Amino acid sequence: SRRKVCQFCVDSIDTVDFKDIEMIKRFLSDRFMIEARRKSGVCSKHQRSLAKAVKRARQLSLIPFTSSHKGSFSFNYRNRN
């Protein structure tokens, strides 16, 4: 089988931005865990950068820590007025 190519290297992205939630979501499982390198195809340099970006986004509540946090994504956010 063919080896997966790092999507960040193909797009020439140096570091993963924690504010780009749409891109980060592609590398998270349905339980919001970071996918393994062998499954996602990301190189080791970008896997470390991705892990930091996911952890920063979790701290800022941009993505949930677990799947039990319903409505935690910013596009599901409703104003409480």
Side-chain angles (χ1 to χ4, degrees):
S1 68
R2 251 181 85 150
R3 186 164 179 240
K4 294 180 184 174
V5 181
C6 177
Q7 190 62 42
F8 299 111
C9 290
V10 170
D11 297 338
S12 13
I13 296 174
D14 192 30
T15 57
V16 183
D17 187 18
F18 69 91
K19 293 172 288 216
D20 192 1
I21 297 171
E22 291 301 316
M23 183 182 59
I24 289 177
K25 274 190 347 185
R26 290 191 307 205
F27 299 99
L28 297 177
S29 68
D30 57 342
R31 296 172 57 199
F32 298 104
M33 295 171 62
I34 303 170
E35 293 287 346
R37 276 186 59 215
R38 64 183 177 273
K39 189 171 181 184
S40 62
V42 179
C43 68
S44 58
K45 172 186 167 185
H46 287 111
Q47 180 73 13
R48 290 190 298 268
S49 180
L50 176 68
K52 277 189 180 177
V54 167
K55 291 171 186 177
R56 284 181 181 158
R58 284 176 178 161
Q59 287 294 319
L60 293 172
S61 301
L62 298 176
I63 57 175
F65 280 92
T66 63
S67 58
S68 63
H69 296 116
K70 295 290 184 189
S72 295
F73 277 114
S74 57
F75 60 82
N76 285 339
Y77 179 74
R78 288 183 308 184
N79 199 353
R80 295 186 177 183
N81 290 345

